[in-house]
Amino acid sequence: MAHKVAILGASGYTGAELIRLISQHPNIEIAALGAERKAGMQMADVFPHLRHLSLPTLCTIDEIDFSQIDLCFCALPHKTSQQVIANLPGDLKIVDLSADFRLRDPADYEKWYGNPHAAVAQQQEAVYGLTEFYREEITTARLVAGTGCNAATGQFALRPLIAAGVVDLDDIILDMKCAVSGAGRALKENLLHAELSEGYHAYAIGSTHRHLGEFDQEFSLLAGRPVRVQFTPHLLPVNRGILATTYVKGDAEEIYRTFEHAYGDEPFVELLPLGEAPSTHHVRGSNFVHIGVTADRISGRAIVIVALDNLTKGSSGQALQNANLMLGEDETAGLMMAPLFP
Amino acid sequence: MAHKVAILGASGYTGAELIRLISQHPNIEIAALGAERKAGMQMADVFPHLRHLSLPTLCTIDEIDFSQIDLCFCALPHKTSQQVIANLPGDLKIVDLSADFRLRDPADYEKWYGNPHAAVAQQQEAVYGLTEFYREEITTARLVAGTGCNAATGQFALRPLIAAGVVDLDDIILDMKCAVSGAGRALKENLLHAELSEGYHAYAIGSTHRHLGEFDQEFSLLAGRPVRVQFTPHLLPVNRGILATTYVKGDAEEIYRTFEHAYGDEPFVELLPLGEAPSTHHVRGSNFVHIGVTADRISGRAIVIVALDNLTKGSSGQALQNANLMLGEDETAGLMMAPLFP
Amino acid sequence: MAHKVAILGASGYTGAELIRLISQHPNIEIAALGAERKAGMQMADVFPHLRHLSLPTLCTIDEIDFSQIDLCFCALPHKTSQQVIANLPGDLKIVDLSADFRLRDPADYEKWYGNPHAAVAQQQEAVYGLTEFYREEITTARLVAGTGCNAATGQFALRPLIAAGVVDLDDIILDMKCAVSGAGRALKENLLHAELSEGYHAYAIGSTHRHLGEFDQEFSLLAGRPVRVQFTPHLLPVNRGILATTYVKGDAEEIYRTFEHAYGDEPFVELLPLGEAPSTHHVRGSNFVHIGVTADRISGRAIVIVALDNLTKGSSGQALQNANLMLGEDETAGLMMAPLFP
Amino acid sequence: MAHKVAILGASGYTGAELIRLISQHPNIEIAALGAERKAGMQMADVFPHLRHLSLPTLCTIDEIDFSQIDLCFCALPHKTSQQVIANLPGDLKIVDLSADFRLRDPADYEKWYGNPHAAVAQQQEAVYGLTEFYREEITTARLVAGTGCNAATGQFALRPLIAAGVVDLDDIILDMKCAVSGAGRALKENLLHAELSEGYHAYAIGSTHRHLGEFDQEFSLLAGRPVRVQFTPHLLPVNRGILATTYVKGDAEEIYRTFEHAYGDEPFVELLPLGEAPSTHHVRGSNFVHIGVTADRISGRAIVIVALDNLTKGSSGQALQNANLMLGEDETAGLMMAPLFP
């Protein structure tokens, strides 16, 4: 019998992406779609590309009978998510896609997000949702915190290297190129087509982006001592994709072998031949991660480049991968579609 | 047991699109990939977005043992296709994606394509592959000719109206907006990013586009007398999608009812509420067709707009839909993935 | 001595475009920049691409001393413009870029815009600003109403043909493809990059777009009897450009000769060789209009295609062209820069 | 009386960009346009956006009477340029836009370009064309070598810092994002719209890009000892613009003051307020350079970001700026047009 899921925040991009993916899942049924401001509307009017699906009418969270729900995806805005989750049934399985449960330390949370956490108990309980590295904990978790899309990308580049001690921990630079859907469907002037297309720029310069909280937490935990990376995101006139160009001090061949060992059995991680560079073109709309390693002309330095789709592997695909584990399904169910190219 | 298929022309966009779709098909196995000039290469090197799949090495057509093949997709260039198909086993099921077998009359073929047909026997045998209108013939066909992508789009707008006699046959205008992947992977100056992006223009003006051969053949057959439409294609800086804005003289409500009747049971055709306009955004990467009907302010005139993805419903998705019928599979197998948006 | 101008609405796209053009004008000085909500800001903070210019600080309209101003450009939103202009000095030369003074008949204005006109006296006084056809009246006008960008494009295609009586007045279709900057800098979901790029769609279907008011007024006046065209605009994922594909019943060669006669001496209108199609790529950022004429395969029908830049020739370039006439400057001053390609 | 110039290689993008700029120059006349393969054609057929200009018919180099030419722009492909220039009159003023005369040392040239130099005498004579740093030498030069577009961008970020000794010379990373027009009008599969749009990737990874030869030469000369930077270019789906994100070890405020000193009087260089980031949107189509400096969260590290238009300031605009100096014209003549936004 199919698992019944609810999606809260169904009128945003990550909500729509969840529906797209689940529509091909053999064993999950969408039982409720929450969207406070658009309650009463049909999904076909909010996202016409889902017009062919038979989906529940959008409703408010209050209208959902969670006793009939096996797992709830929360694709709500930051801050809203913690307030909602604090009031959901305590035994409901939840995959949260917001930033609210990614940082374990309440002080870290407040430092990066500017407000005290409103659901500290759940924060302590949450498991960090980077599947490839927290697979066992996720399988038995009640509440899983989806990672930031940039944070996921950077960790695919660096976690195995930090864990293996093959790069200089004090000289890591992440130069990241991000597609615009990562900013969501918000009405902001800088997200208009006329403002954004035909050009590009950096933002959150000086290592001030909130996803650094995740890097600091995870890399320091792995290394057993504080690790601080430099991270500059850039906004590109493309809808999907993140490319992380990572500058490290270490031996490229040793790095490559470390990745072969770490990712050899992973169904969604593709390690390119040494010296090749991945492209966001080749992962678009899919749950795959492409990784390339190249030695620099300067001895002892290497470049690691990671490409993934921010809405799929960076968010909703990762969320479904985690839900599969939590529901006892095959981890790859509903997630093996090939990228869309061209 | 899975059906074994071969794909000839695997290094072009329609070949790659077939592989993308079949990778999600429950009951088809890709047994051979033909690509003359790239024989010996791996698909991952030709199309890195397919890197995660286990696929046969590219080979020449001569190397394929067709006795082991249940159905062959020919995604070869025009003219090449007829020469190759003339020499394939006479009992091999074939879905051809080229223009070579779309026109039934050898004289029409020569008029639009400029050369005598090299496989007249097969031309006579071929069934026109617009599934929704030739379903029965396709089910029992040996050789099916995939339609032109523009030709498919225009026929979804007009076939039911011509058949029902609800529009003036002598005053039909198809203004079509086409994405660039329809032109294939050829190295032409006008297909360069720097030439194409940030602008748009008409081409094949004056109703000189070859797909008019298909319109003339099919519309005249339906009407029982010659029908000649005006057709102006435009090239847009987008990779996928065709939007046909069709100007007809007829009653919008009668047109709408005609479509309800024609498409009510079709799994891939979505009729929008009267007065709404479809968008290529909402069909991208999918096999769906969205259709909208609107009355003009001038009484007795209507606008019919059709959106589909030229590489999927306009080409490779249609081909797989036809192959499903020919192989006794569910017509929708491997084709129900939702569009990719944003 | 340079003419002093004020620009009201300097924080929108047409305001910025005026500044871009005037920055290269030999004889016009920008003396005041009005922008109510951004008063007190520097232009470099509102439009960083103008950072290199020495410009007045943005101010409210009340702060401007109009006695020092030779001509005022009003690049304000519709409705706001008529209220502001009603209160400006009665002898101030004004070029208005809004829709407020384009229609001469108050009833027509109310029909298309939904509210009674708030400055009827000025409405009666205003001269319609399509320079090539109202050159004499503009030269001596006090108040000139800039045309709609779509309205300008369609009139370049049709005015000479209607005036010469060489096309069927009852069967004209304008299928228009419009860039997104025409919608301005407003925060609307459908103008977001993620919503708009990679696809396209029609809007204002059924001939309901407000620019039809201008077509009806001007074409009927020219013909001496009511003329109603069909007009379907489409929104494209491009920032600048309008392409009008015009379907008319008439002889292509006669149409071509009519254009040669009408536009032979025009500095900004380029008539392409018969049978060639213009592209918006080739007019981008310039004040030029490219026009192509082609005969259809159906005898007695022709296609006229017009390309221009909606922000330049369709709006701010046209405004400066008119201001040049009103100020006694060379009509082309500041406007001869070549298009930007690629 | 106007200076007469010839442009060799007029059918490429940098040739067309020169014509666009010179069309607004008060004192330069285009007397000859060389284009071997397109000799005999009109410019309007090669670049329709220049249709409004009266230009010489394209011709072969042999057909040009160089005794009537005051200065020759060579916008020819690499290798071709050195062969052509070796045979031009020895007293003809030349601005070369190719890579052929950028490196002073024949061994360096051969290392990066793979062949011995065919015009060593002229190579020795050439002045490096980065105007802001070689102004005096350029003014009296006979032959000026235009810089690489990436090379220009990186040098605007780093030259003042290396000269002033305010950054660690052994730890400099240039992560560069490049628009596609930099690759020219060549027919390559990876430059097709369908391959390039909607994604991005690095290329020439591992610091193997030829423009490193310029960085090595210039930075080492400035520092008085060998300097080797890391440099990773990325190809973006945009037509114009380069953004260099430069990671240096040094004090951001000292870096900022160094730039204020270096660029305070430069007409084309705009230093943004400390902590702001430039965008390629805001320099498009112009000769301006925007520079931003930001301190990283890690003490002692800074990010310097430079934006310019690769075809203008990175190539043809720079060439005209140099030609102005060589001809005794105002350095900014024909180059003060504002960027095109949106």
Side-chain angles (χ1 to χ4, degrees), chain C residues 145-168:
Chain C
T147 72
C149 52
N150 297 308
T153 314
Q155 289 180 72
F156 280 111
L158 288 167
R159 288 189 73 111
L161 309 185
I162 292 172
V166 298
V167 295
D168 181 346

Side-chain angles (χ1 to χ4, degrees), chain A residues 61-300:
Chain A
I61 296 174
D62 289 347
E63 294 176 285
I64 300 174
D65 177 1
F66 287 101
S67 71
Q68 303 298 311
I69 300 296
D70 296 310
L71 185 145
C72 179
F73 294 99
C74 289
L76 297 164
H78 308 324
K79 287 197 193 177
T80 304
S81 196
Q82 58 192 265
Q83 292 158 2
V84 167
I85 286 176
N87 292 311
L88 289 179
D91 60 348
L92 179 66
K93 290 184 180 180
I94 297 173
V95 176
D96 184 50
L97 285 80
S98 83
D100 283 2
F101 298 95
R102 294 170 185 166
L103 301 183
R104 290 185 196 93
D105 181 338
D108 276 353
Y109 175 81
E110 188 163 352
K111 170 185 160 193
W112 287 103
Y113 291 91
N115 57 289
H117 204 288
V120 175
Q122 288 82 355
Q123 189 191 12
Q124 298 312 308
E125 180 190 4
V127 171
Y128 191 68
L130 199 62
T131 328
E132 282 72 9
F133 300 98
Y134 284 91
R135 191 169 271 126
E136 274 186 57
E137 296 89 327
I138 290 166
T139 303
T140 58
R142 184 188 79 85
L143 170 58
V144 170
T147 72
C149 53
N150 297 308
T153 314
Q155 290 180 70
F156 279 112
L158 288 167
R159 287 189 75 109
L161 309 185
I162 292 173
V166 299
V167 294
D168 180 346
L169 297 179
D170 295 319
D171 219 343
I172 295 172
I173 292 176
L174 279 162
D175 189 282
M176 227 171 276
K177 294 87 179 167
C178 308
V180 65
S181 64
R185 215 179 192 181
L187 294 181
K188 295 180 187 167
E189 193 176 83
N190 70 318
L191 302 181
L192 294 175
H193 188 280
E195 301 282 322
L196 190 63
S197 66
E198 304 178 26
Y200 34 98
H201 61 275
Y203 67 102
I205 36 177
S207 299
T208 58
H209 193 286
R210 287 168 166 184
H211 289 181
L212 278 161
E214 293 174 66
F215 289 137
D216 290 356
Q217 168 181 287
E218 296 296 313
F219 294 156
S220 299
L221 187 67
L222 270 175
R225 60 100 150 166
V227 176
R228 296 286 173 272
V229 301
Q230 273 187 278
F231 164 39
T232 309
H234 299 75
L235 192 57
L236 263 57
V238 170
N239 285 339
R240 287 172 175 254
I242 298 182
L243 192 82
T245 311
T246 315
Y247 296 92
V248 292
K249 291 180 173 164
D251 179 72
E253 297 197 5
E254 188 175 19
I255 287 170
Y256 195 79
R257 285 192 303 269
T258 304
F259 282 141
E260 284 181 314
H261 183 73
Y263 294 131
D265 296 328
E266 287 298 339
F268 294 117
V269 183
E270 296 283 321
L271 182 63
L272 277 61
L274 186 66
E276 292 193 9
S279 169
T280 61
H281 289 96
H282 301 136
V283 294
R284 199 159 48 113
S286 83
N287 207 49
F288 294 98
V289 182
H290 286 193
I291 303 182
V293 179
T294 306
D296 193 73
R297 66 167 180 167
I298 301 176
S299 173

Side-chain angles (χ1 to χ4, degrees), chain C residues 245-264:
Chain C
T245 310
T246 314
Y247 296 92
V248 292
K249 291 182 173 162
D251 179 73
E253 295 196 7
E254 188 175 21
I255 288 169
Y256 194 80
R257 285 192 302 270
T258 305
F259 282 141
E260 284 181 315
H261 183 73
Y263 295 130

Side-chain angles (χ1 to χ4, degrees), chain C residues 46-123:
Chain C
V46 178
F47 283 115
H49 70 292
L50 301 173
R51 177 183 294 278
H52 62 287
L53 298 172
S54 295
L55 293 168
T57 301
L58 298 182
C59 67
T60 63
I61 297 174
D62 288 348
E63 295 175 287
I64 300 173
D65 176 3
F66 286 100
S67 71
Q68 303 299 310
I69 300 295
D70 297 309
L71 184 145
C72 179
F73 294 99
C74 289
L76 296 164
H78 308 325
K79 286 197 193 175
T80 303
S81 196
Q82 59 192 264
Q83 291 158 1
V84 167
I85 287 175
N87 293 309
L88 289 179
D91 60 347
L92 179 66
K93 289 184 180 179
I94 297 173
V95 177
D96 184 48
L97 286 78
S98 84
D100 283 1
F101 298 94
R102 295 169 184 167
L103 301 184
R104 290 184 197 93
D105 181 338
D108 276 352
Y109 174 81
E110 188 163 351
K111 169 185 160 194
W112 287 103
Y113 291 91
N115 57 289
H117 203 288
V120 176
Q122 288 82 356
Q123 188 192 11

Side-chain angles (χ1 to χ4, degrees), chain C residues 133-160:
Chain C
F133 300 97
Y134 284 91
R135 191 169 269 125
E136 273 186 56
E137 296 89 326
I138 290 166
T139 303
T140 59
R142 184 189 79 86
L143 170 59
V144 170
T147 72
C149 52
N150 297 308
T153 314
Q155 289 180 72
F156 280 111
L158 288 167
R159 288 189 73 111

Side-chain angles (χ1 to χ4, degrees), chain B residues 4-333:
Chain B
K4 296 193 179 195
V5 301
I7 299 173
L8 310 186
S11 63
Y13 290 148
T14 54
E17 182 76 350
L18 276 168
I19 298 173
R20 180 178 79 89
L21 298 172
I22 293 172
S23 78
Q24 295 293 286
H25 195 289
N27 215 16
I28 291 184
E29 176 194 330
I30 297 173
L33 292 173
E36 301 304 289
R37 279 176 302 180
K38 298 192 173 170
M41 291 181 70
Q42 298 302 316
M43 208 58 195
D45 296 320
V46 177
F47 283 114
H49 71 292
L50 301 174
R51 176 182 294 279
H52 63 288
L53 297 173
S54 294
L55 292 168
T57 301
L58 298 182
C59 66
T60 63
I61 297 175
D62 289 346
E63 294 175 286
I64 300 175
D65 176 2
F66 286 101
S67 70
Q68 304 297 313
I69 300 296
D70 296 310
L71 186 145
C72 180
F73 293 99
C74 289
L76 296 164
H78 309 325
K79 287 196 193 176
T80 303
S81 196
Q82 58 192 263
Q83 292 158 1
V84 167
I85 286 176
N87 293 309
L88 289 179
D91 59 349
L92 179 66
K93 291 185 179 179
I94 297 173
V95 177
D96 184 49
L97 287 80
S98 84
D100 282 1
F101 297 95
R102 295 169 185 167
L103 301 183
R104 289 185 197 94
D105 181 338
D108 276 353
Y109 175 82
E110 187 163 351
K111 170 184 161 195
W112 288 103
Y113 291 91
N115 56 290
H117 203 289
V120 176
Q122 288 82 355
Q123 189 191 10
Q124 297 312 308
E125 178 189 5
V127 171
Y128 191 67
L130 199 62
T131 328
E132 282 72 9
F133 300 98
Y134 284 91
R135 191 170 272 125
E136 273 185 58
E137 295 89 327
I138 291 166
T139 303
T140 58
R142 184 188 77 85
L143 169 58
V144 170
T147 72
C149 53
N150 297 307
T153 314
Q155 289 181 71
F156 279 112
L158 288 168
R159 287 189 73 109
L161 310 184
I162 292 172
V166 299
V167 295
D168 180 347
L169 297 180
D170 294 319
D171 220 343
I172 295 171
I173 292 175
L174 279 162
D175 188 283
M176 226 171 276
K177 295 86 178 166
C178 309
V180 64
S181 64
R185 215 178 193 182
L187 294 181
K188 296 180 186 168
E189 193 176 83
N190 70 319
L191 302 180
L192 293 176
H193 187 280
E195 301 283 321
L196 190 63
S197 67
E198 304 178 26
Y200 34 99
H201 62 275
Y203 67 102
I205 35 177
S207 298
T208 59
H209 193 286
R210 288 170 166 182
H211 289 181
L212 278 161
E214 294 175 64
F215 289 138
D216 291 355
Q217 168 181 287
E218 295 296 313
F219 294 158
S220 299
L221 186 67
L222 271 173
R225 60 100 150 164
V227 176
R228 295 287 173 271
V229 301
Q230 272 188 280
F231 164 39
T232 310
H234 298 76
L235 191 57
L236 264 56
V238 170
N239 285 339
R240 285 173 177 255
I242 298 181
L243 192 83
T245 310
T246 315
Y247 296 91
V248 292
K249 292 183 171 159
D251 179 72
E253 297 196 7
E254 188 175 19
I255 287 169
Y256 194 80
R257 285 193 303 270
T258 304
F259 283 140
E260 284 181 315
H261 183 73
Y263 295 129
D265 295 328
E266 287 297 340
F268 294 117
V269 184
E270 295 283 320
L271 182 63
L272 277 62
L274 187 66
E276 291 193 10
S279 169
T280 61
H281 289 95
H282 301 136
V283 294
R284 199 158 48 112
S286 84
N287 207 50
F288 294 99
V289 182
H290 285 193
I291 303 182
V293 178
T294 305
D296 193 73
R297 65 168 181 167
I298 301 177
S299 172
R301 301 196 191 176
I303 300 109
V304 176
I305 309 181
V306 175
L308 56 75
D309 183 316
N310 58 300
L311 278 184
T312 318
K313 186 61 178 169
S315 188
S316 302
Q318 180 199 79
L320 180 55
Q321 193 178 347
N322 290 334
N324 280 335
L325 290 175
M326 295 163 78
L327 293 169
E329 292 288 316
D330 185 299
E331 185 179 327
T332 67

